[in-house]
Each structure stands twice: as C-alpha cells, then as structure tokens.
Amino acid sequence: MIIHIISKSNKSVKNLLWVGLVFWSSLTYAQPGCDINLQGQVLDEHDGSVLSFAELRWLEQDRGVMADEVGRFTFSEICKGSMTLVVQHIGCEPDTLSFVVSRDTSIKLLLEHHTHLLDAIQVEARKPHKDIAPLQTMDLEEVSRSAAGSIAELASGQTGVYIYQSGTNIQKPMIRGQEGNRIAIVNNGAVVLGQQWGREHAPEVDAALIEEVEVVKGASSLRYGSSAIGGALKSSSGKINEQDSLHGWVKGEARSNGQSGSLAAKLGGRLTQRWPLYFQLAGSGRRGGDLKAPDFFLENTGTSQWSGQGRLGWMTDKWGVEIAYSLIETDLGILRYAHIGNLTDLEAMIERGEPSVPSQRFTYAIERPKQHVTHETTTSHVYWKPRLGHSVSLDVIRQYDLRQEYDNNLFSGDEANLQFELTSQQADLHYEGRFSEKYKLEIGGMGMRQANTYTGRFFIPNYERYDAGLYSIHHFHLDAWEFEAGARVDRRWQQAFMYREDTLYSPNRVFDGGSLHLGAAYSFGRWRSIVQLSRGWRPPEINELYSSGLHHGAAALEYGNESLEEERLWSLNLALDLDSQPVGLGYLDISAGAYSYWFDDYINLVPQQYNELTIRGAFPVWAQTVEDVWSRGVELDLKWKATKSISLDARGDWMISTNANYEYILNQPAPRLRMKGDVTCYENSKWKVNASLNWLAVARQQWTSVEQEIAPPPPAYSLFGAEIRTEWKVRDHAWMLQFRVENLLDIPYRDYLDRLRYFADAKGRSFNVRIFIPFG
C-alpha cells in the first residue's frame, strides 16, 4: 500500500515534504534482529527528476548517508521501531520525517522546491562532485542500444573520441589525437595494464559486460598518472549493491558481416537478508569469421573471445570490502594480405592497394598470422566512511597478461613466435572529503611493480619497473563560479635485460616529473563557460626505447630510440555550453570547445622511406622519433529535441598537428561530422518504437606530410546507417529488440587511422540484430 505523510518544516523556505512509502515482504520472514534495510531515492516533486547528493541523517543512531548521483541511498542494519530522518539538499532548509519500520522498506522522498529556484538547485546539487569539464557519459540504457564490439567502438560516438585500428577487428580508443601510451583505460576502477604499447594491441576489456562509460578530460585524470596525459576512458559493469533482490540482464547479438554472434549475461543481488553480503556474476562469448569488404573477403580476420567475472562484497553505510576477479581470452586473426614474402610483391601491393588474388571464400578459421591474449585481473577494494561526506578507499590490484603472437610462418608448427608475460601489482589509496557544500578535496597515492618476460624472437626486452605517485585535487563552488585545481608527482625506476653481441645489457633508467591542472567555469543563465590549463608529462615506454624487429600484428618492422627522455605537455582547453535553450517547440543543447596542446619532445612512431626484407617476409620500416609538436582543434556538439518524438544530434571534430618547423605530424584524425536523427514512431505505456538514420562524413586527411607516408591518405568517405528499435514493458522492465544496418550503401572506403589501410578496404555492409532483456 502507499501512505502519504505530510511533514511541516519550521523554515519558511519549504512548504511541503511528502513521502511515498512502499512496503513489501521479503522472500523470507523478517529476522528478529537488526537486519532491516531502508533504501530509497530523492526526487523532485514537480517533474520527478533526481536530486543528486542529498544528505540524510538517522537521528536515533546518529548515522548519515549521502544519496548518489541518481538520488539513491541505503540504510542497513536497522532494528524494528521508530525512525527519524533529517533530509537536506543544497539550496534547501532541512526537513524531518518520523515513521515506523518493521521490515525491508523502499521509500521515495519527493521534495518541494520553488519553481524559480529549481534550475539553480539542480546545478548546485551535482557540484562540486564532478570535474568542471563537460561530462561525456553513457549509461546502461545507452550502452545496451550500442552495437559495439570493443570499448573503442563504444566510446567513439562521443565528441573528440576516435578509433585507431589495425585492420577491422583490432581497435584502440583515441582522444583528441592521443592514443596508446597517452590514454588510460580504466575498467571497474583498475587501470588496464596489458601490453598496450602496441598500436595493434586492443585493450583487454570486454565491451559486452560494460554498463557505463565516461570520458575524463578534467582534473580527475590526475588520479591515473602519467598514462592519462591525453585523458582517460572509464568503464564499469555497475555497482555490486545496486539492488537487494536478484537482478541482471541477458543480451545477444548477430551480425551478417563476419557471420558473428555474441551472448552475454549478468546476475547479481544480495546473498542473505541477514548480512549485507552482495554478489555479481557475468560472462560473455563471441565468435565471428572473416569480415567482408564490399568486393571481397578480408582473409583471416576472424575473432573468438570469451570472458567472465565474479564479484563478492560486504557493504554497509560505514565500511565495506569487495573482492573481484575477471578473465578474458581472445584469439584474433591478422589480415593475411598484410604479410608478404618479398620486397617486389610488397611494393606492388602498396601501389596497387588491394590483393592480387582477393578471397571470395568465407571461413571461421583463425590461422597464422594471429594473436592470442589472456588477461586476468584480481581486485580487493576496501572503503571506510568515517562521517558524512568523507570516505577512504584502498584498492590492491594484480593483473596478469599473456600475449602470444604467431607469424605467417608455415615452419613454426603450433608454437608462438613471440610470447610476453606481464605481471603487475598495484596499490591505490584515495581519500575524498566534502567539507562543505562549496568545497571537496581528493588526495591519494599509488605504488606499482611490473615485470615482463618474453620467449621466442626478440622484440622488446625483459624488464622490471617500479612506479610511485602522489596527487591532490580540489573542487570549489562559489555562487556562479566553479574552480578546480590539482597537482601530482610521479617517479619511475626501470631496468631492462637483453643481450647484445652475447653480452648481457641491463640499462637502468629513472624518470620523474610533475603534473598540474587549473580550471574555472562561470555560469550565466543557461550558458556556462570553461577554461582549463594543464601541465603534464610522460616517460618513454619500453617499446619506444628498445623495440627492435617485426611487430607482426602491425605488419611492420619497428625500431626504438634508447636516447629518448620524458615527454612534457602544456594544454589549454576552452568550452562553452548552452543547456536546454527553448527553440520553437523543442530545446537545444550546445557544447563547443577548442583546445591546444604543446608537446616538448613528443615521441612518435613514423614510417621510414624504405622497406626491409627479413626471413619472415618483406615489411615497411617504422622508427621512433622525437620533436616538439603543437596540436590544436575544435569540437562542436548540437542536440536538438525538436518535439517529444523527434530529436537530432550533430557532432563535428577538426584538429591539426605540426612540429616546430610547421611540418604536419602523421597519424592524426581527419575532420569528421556525425549526424543522427531519431523519431518515435509509436509510444504508449507499454510499447515504444523508434527509427533513426545516421550519417558519418570523414574528410581526406590533407594535413599530413605526404613525403613521409607509405601511401597517400585515402579519399574522403560518407557512411549511412539505419536502425529500428522497439522497447516493451515486461514486469516493469524495458525489453529491447533492435534491427540495425551499418554501411547501408555498401561503400568501399579506407580510414586514415587504420594501419592496414595500405592493403585492403574496410568492412562493408552489415545487418545486425540485437536483443536486451533485463530482469529482477
């Protein structure tokens, strides 16, 4: 039943607090002890919007909690009897509510605000908890609609995020022209530590198990060290204690191109009503065969992947412990056309731009050349909340990464030509304190040990590495102004072990540096202006120093530069946002930005002007170079909600990079424009049908040094896609069925950011079917 309770406040600012209490019986009878749970959500009475970070205090026990970003909160270990709650929200006077609890209870707090204060309160409620940089996030609903096979593909719809790839099945995210060693990939709170130094080494993250994605460009990137000099990409599989009852989802997908299929599932909940013990299990599997360009099959581009993860946590209002384990195994075929036996055929292939005998046969077989990757992550997370608005957390993480690479060599049998084993142990300590509604502090430190060994032919040496770092981040909110400031210092000690002319060579290198971030934002009406200034640094990675030989996944010979020093960066970011401006019958959101990066001693892998013949075939030669680089660009994001049923999104990016002599830098993204129109064709309380059309236009990369390129940049291209999506309610859950077509017109094209574009077209048309079924 629903009971309405009216509580008058002693203050004149509030007129009414009314609370909807919904009681339900648990799966078993209520325990006689103090094992009752109270959970709920704080919402606005007028439009039902969430009120983030409201504070709630239980007077009888002097216990407090803070609601999260979506207004949800939980009190656990409650005894039967009366309970008095004080609820307060930034910009409002506190109110008090008394009631009786006898079993697990769910409540909704609907707060009354004066209409003219509503917008201001919503803005203040989310500050100072987030960076002042515009948030770019995807929640479970958006992720479930995205037909993405990788985390790079999942995030590429965000402004300033690109895909850097080696062929059609190996993809890495790029943020504003920075990728690889300059981007931190964070999954479930752990920075992914694999063999990410290779541009054809995709992050060991299963996109099928991701529920949330966030692009971090502000002060919070300082938490992730020098590897986040270009930003961070965070993903999560959701909170372990988001619901007490059993809940989860199942999703599956089938794609015509590659004749691939995937299935993923998640199950979580509370193990017992007596103890706050929660669990989560998830797993997925995916298999696909050779992808197809419009005119021929891309031979040996199949994929096989499976993953699983388990989480167990004891969660209370004051403290908690969570232990998690995940495993992902991937087999990837490498485009066979990129591995050529002699110099003459290689030069003819690059000049011709396509295989002499293109394949017309589909197969699921993954043959040489190929990769096999196994990645394990074990995490222990402990948190303590000594008082309201303050928390301390400790994460201890172990990661093990096994990478096996198989050359296109018929005489190698079943043995890998090259095998790396990377083991990393890391500890992160983080404190966060909200000292008032206007100030929040974050401080922390980390330490890491990493060791790498290899067997087979040499490419990078064995090495041992130790990292340590300390950081402090401050968030301020003063009326219409918001400020953030952060600083970090890091130190790395690294020793490599290799043989040169039968003599053990073990150079020691020590790198250290500091990072600084300053930002300010000013809100006026519906507008918000932002300026950010940062100073960062990055030490050279092991491959940039010592690589030597065939990097078979990239089909190239790569050579490092042992004389490299630290790379240092100054960056300036400007942004202007317009929030929900009425336009006609609808609303318009605008986000415009400009940025400028100045690198001292920028480390870049560039092709040399010759090819080299080895016993494994003929390959282009690439080498590490260093120079001062200036990168600058602009971004524009428009969202127009024309009517309740029609919306239009448009996103454009342009950037250019030059050295001190104003010569263009290679491997930077070409200008692009992405548009999407969405129409709600039918909607009622149980059923909804949407149709959308999207268009991606990518210009030819004209801002590059043609003299240094292996082959001229490919022509501009435009791709169209279409989608029909239907959602229907089943027991208060929205099931989804999606029909999607990619590259609708089956246009042959090549992307400049594809390292294997010299040898074949990108994939052609694909018809996809996707289903998502939540439960619980």
Side-chain angles (χ1 to χ4, degrees):
M1 61 179 176
I2 297 177
I3 305 173
H4 297 283
I5 301 176
I6 297 177
S7 174
K8 296 286 187 179
S9 172
N10 294 328
K11 306 294 184 177
S12 60
V13 175
K14 302 283 282 287
N15 296 322
L16 176 67
L17 168 69
W18 63 277
V19 185
L21 296 176
V22 182
F23 295 93
W24 75 91
S25 298
S26 58
L27 296 176
T28 60
Y29 62 87
Q31 300 293 330
C34 299
D35 55 0
I36 298 173
N37 295 307
L38 172 72
Q39 61 183 11
Q41 189 175 25
V42 185
L43 304 173
D44 178 75
E45 178 188 356
H46 295 283
D47 56 9
S49 61
V50 300
L51 297 179
S52 306
F53 308 112
E55 296 180 5
L56 302 97
R57 180 160 293 279
W58 177 11
L59 293 184
E60 287 84 356
Q61 295 290 324
D62 192 26
R63 287 169 52 185
V65 299
M66 180 178 291
D68 60 18
E69 295 179 12
V70 293
R72 293 194 180 98
F73 64 90
T74 301
F75 283 97
S76 58
E77 300 179 359
I78 301 173
C79 303
K80 289 183 178 180
S82 62
M83 187 174 186
T84 305
L85 279 183
V86 176
V87 186
Q88 56 184 356
H89 187 260
I90 297 174
C92 306
E93 296 295 331
D95 276 282
T96 303
L97 171 70
S98 297
F99 53 93
V100 176
V101 292
S102 59
R103 62 186 65 193
D104 288 350
T105 305
S106 176
I107 69 177
K108 285 188 177 180
L109 304 177
L110 305 181
L111 300 185
E112 166 71 24
H113 296 283
H114 292 302
T115 303
H116 68 278
L117 293 177
L118 184 59
D119 288 341
I121 291 170
Q122 288 178 330
V123 173
E124 290 184 47
R126 68 181 181 91
K127 303 298 179 186
H129 298 271
K130 287 291 184 182
D131 293 339
I132 64 174
L135 278 178
Q136 293 180 269
T137 61
M138 298 177 67
D139 58 17
L140 176 59
E141 183 178 3
E142 293 176 282
V143 170
S144 64
R145 294 172 180 173
S146 175
S150 69
I151 187 173
E153 193 174 9
L154 191 61
S156 63
Q158 305 300 313
T159 307
V161 183
Y162 308 84
I163 298 176
Y164 194 100
Q165 58 190 21
S166 292
T168 53
N169 57 355
I170 303 175
Q171 300 174 329
K172 303 188 73 168
M174 173 183 278
I175 300 177
R176 292 177 170 175
Q178 311 306 317
E179 47 81 31
N181 297 327
R182 298 183 185 92
I183 299 296
I185 309 295
V186 185
N187 188 40
N188 288 327
V191 177
V192 178
L193 299 173
Q195 301 283 355
Q196 67 262 30
W197 44 261
R199 286 180 170 174
E200 87 303 347
H201 294 178
E204 292 87 352
V205 177
D206 188 357
L209 302 183
I210 293 175
E211 292 190 359
E212 301 170 349
V213 175
E214 181 177 339
V215 180
V216 180
K217 300 175 185 176
S220 291
S221 61
L222 291 173
R223 289 188 60 178
Y224 309 114
S226 57
S227 63
I229 189 173
L233 185 60
K234 295 175 60 179
S235 61
S236 168
S237 56
K239 294 182 179 180
I240 189 174
N241 61 333
E242 59 187 345
Q243 293 182 39
D244 281 357
S245 60
L246 285 178
H247 64 280
W249 45 256
V250 176
K251 60 183 175 184
E253 183 180 17
R255 298 189 178 198
S256 65
N257 198 328
Q259 300 181 32
S260 66
S262 65
L263 184 66
K266 171 188 152 180
L267 177 67
R270 186 165 178 166
L271 285 174
T272 171
Q273 293 297 320
R274 183 174 182 83
W275 309 110
L277 189 61
Y278 296 84
F279 81 98
Q280 186 183 104
L281 297 174
S284 77
R286 175 165 61 99
R287 189 185 181 192
D290 288 345
L291 296 164
K292 187 179 183 299
D295 300 321
F296 54 87
F297 283 97
L298 301 169
E299 191 175 2
N300 200 46
T301 52
T303 303
S304 177
Q305 177 177 292
W306 69 273
S307 71
Q309 66 180 35
R311 301 165 68 185
L312 184 66
W314 181 286
M315 305 290 184
T316 70
D317 300 332
K318 289 286 189 180
W319 66 278
V321 179
E322 180 185 335
I323 299 175
Y325 174 80
S326 66
L327 173 66
I328 180 171
E329 288 210 10
T330 308
D331 288 282
L332 295 169
I334 306 297
L335 181 68
R336 193 183 303 278
Y337 305 138
H339 287 248
I340 301 170
N342 59 74
L343 289 174
T344 302
D345 289 348
L346 174 62
E347 292 168 357
M349 175 73 170
I350 293 176
E351 182 177 355
R352 186 173 56 247
E354 63 180 27
S356 57
V357 184
S359 173
Q360 300 298 328
R361 183 178 67 93
F362 170 83
T363 178
Y364 283 103
I366 300 176
E367 300 173 339
R368 293 176 176 267
K370 63 179 182 179
Q371 301 176 2
H372 173 81
V373 179
T374 300
H375 190 89
E376 296 180 8
T377 304
T378 306
T379 304
S380 299
H381 172 71
V382 181
Y383 70 86
W384 174 48
K385 298 179 179 180
R387 59 193 180 95
L388 189 65
H390 296 258
S391 65
V392 181
S393 64
L394 174 65
D395 292 275
V396 179
I397 305 163
R398 178 188 182 273
Q399 296 184 62
Y400 170 77
D401 190 86
L402 170 67
R403 169 172 287 274
Q404 296 173 314
E405 302 192 348
Y406 299 79
D407 292 346
N408 190 19
N409 187 340
L410 300 178
F411 304 102
S412 300
D414 295 329
E415 298 295 324
N417 298 91
L418 184 58
Q419 175 175 297
F420 300 102
E421 291 185 78
L422 183 70
T423 304
S424 308
Q425 295 96 15
Q426 182 174 344
D428 293 305
L429 182 64
H430 180 74
Y431 165 77
E432 184 173 309
R434 183 180 175 188
F435 292 91
S436 72
E437 64 184 36
K438 299 182 181 298
Y439 174 61
K440 186 183 77 170
L441 168 67
E442 297 178 68
I443 56 175
M446 60 79 67
M448 185 187 74
R449 176 190 179 272
Q450 189 175 78
N452 182 75
T453 60
Y454 81 92
T455 56
R457 60 176 172 80
F458 180 86
F459 183 71
I460 63 170
N462 298 337
Y463 69 90
E464 190 173 17
R465 165 182 148 189
Y466 293 88
D467 286 6
L470 295 171
Y471 63 87
S472 175
I473 305 171
H474 307 260
H475 302 261
F476 308 87
H477 180 213
L478 302 173
D479 299 322
W481 285 94
E482 300 165 51
F483 302 95
E484 63 185 13
R488 180 180 177 113
V489 292
D490 289 276
R491 186 175 180 87
R492 172 178 297 179
W493 177 88
Q494 179 176 280
Q495 185 172 18
F497 305 90
M498 67 194 95
Y499 280 93
R500 289 186 175 175
E501 298 179 354
D502 298 325
T503 301
L504 180 62
Y505 177 57
S506 54
N508 262 319
R509 297 295 300 271
V510 178
F511 305 98
D512 51 42
S515 303
L516 177 68
H517 179 91
L518 300 172
Y522 179 73
S523 299
F524 48 101
R526 297 182 182 272
W527 291 91
R528 187 164 176 261
S529 59
I530 301 168
V531 59
Q532 296 173 297
L533 179 66
S534 299
R535 172 67 166 170
W537 80 290
R538 183 183 72 87
E541 296 294 335
I542 194 75
N543 67 305
E544 295 168 331
L545 292 167
Y546 306 115
S547 63
S548 179
L550 174 62
H551 202 171
H552 95 288
L557 295 166
E558 295 183 8
Y559 296 99
N561 183 347
E562 195 171 344
S563 65
L564 295 175
E565 297 294 339
E566 295 95 339
E567 180 181 275
R568 302 189 184 276
L569 164 71
W570 281 103
S571 69
L572 176 65
N573 295 278
L574 305 173
L576 185 64
D577 293 335
L578 173 64
D579 184 31
S580 297
Q581 174 66 37
V583 177
L585 299 177
Y587 292 88
L588 179 67
D589 291 89
I590 301 176
S591 180
Y595 58 90
S596 178
Y597 296 163
W598 177 261
F599 288 91
D600 294 322
D601 298 329
Y602 181 83
I603 302 169
N604 195 22
L605 183 66
V606 299
Q608 308 301 295
Q609 297 309 300
Y610 63 94
N611 303 316
E612 189 173 311
L613 179 64
T614 72
I615 61 173
R616 295 175 177 84
F619 300 95
V621 176
W622 295 62
Q624 300 287 348
T625 63
V626 60
E627 55 191 332
D628 295 340
V629 168
W630 180 30
S631 297
R632 56 275 194 198
V634 293
E635 302 166 345
L636 181 64
D637 188 353
L638 302 176
K639 297 179 180 179
W640 181 35
K641 184 72 173 178
T643 66
K644 183 180 178 181
S645 303
I646 301 175
S647 63
L648 177 66
D649 289 0
R651 294 176 178 177
D653 309 274
W654 173 88
M655 70 167 296
I656 186 174
S657 297
T658 55
N659 62 18
N661 297 321
Y662 292 96
E663 298 170 334
Y664 296 117
I665 302 302
L666 305 183
N667 307 318
Q668 299 294 286
R672 69 175 181 175
L673 175 64
R674 183 188 300 271
M675 300 185 70
K676 179 180 180 181
D678 190 272
V679 178
T680 301
C681 305
Y682 176 78
E683 182 176 14
N684 60 26
S685 59
K686 294 289 186 180
W687 199 277
K688 184 178 181 180
V689 179
N690 282 74
S692 64
L693 181 67
N694 60 77
W695 172 54
L696 172 64
V698 180
R700 182 178 185 272
Q701 179 55 283
Q702 302 181 47
W703 295 278
T704 183
S705 178
V706 178
E707 295 78 11
Q708 294 187 33
E709 295 279 10
I710 293 177
Y717 64 88
S718 292
L719 302 179
F720 289 90
E723 174 187 312
I724 296 178
R725 182 181 68 255
T726 179
E727 300 176 11
W728 65 100
K729 289 288 186 68
V730 178
R731 295 183 180 178
D732 295 326
H733 290 286
W735 291 25
M736 185 201 73
L737 181 63
Q738 179 190 72
F739 299 90
R740 184 187 185 103
V741 57
E742 301 172 351
N743 195 354
L744 178 65
L745 304 181
D746 205 24
I747 295 173
Y749 75 98
R750 303 185 187 202
D751 192 89
Y752 178 72
L753 294 179
D754 185 352
R755 281 196 68 181
L756 300 187
R757 63 180 170 84
Y758 314 111
F759 309 106
D761 292 333
K763 64 182 179 181
R765 183 191 296 121
S766 181
F767 296 96
N768 309 333
V769 179
R770 186 179 183 88
I771 188 169
F772 179 75
I773 302 174
F775 60 86

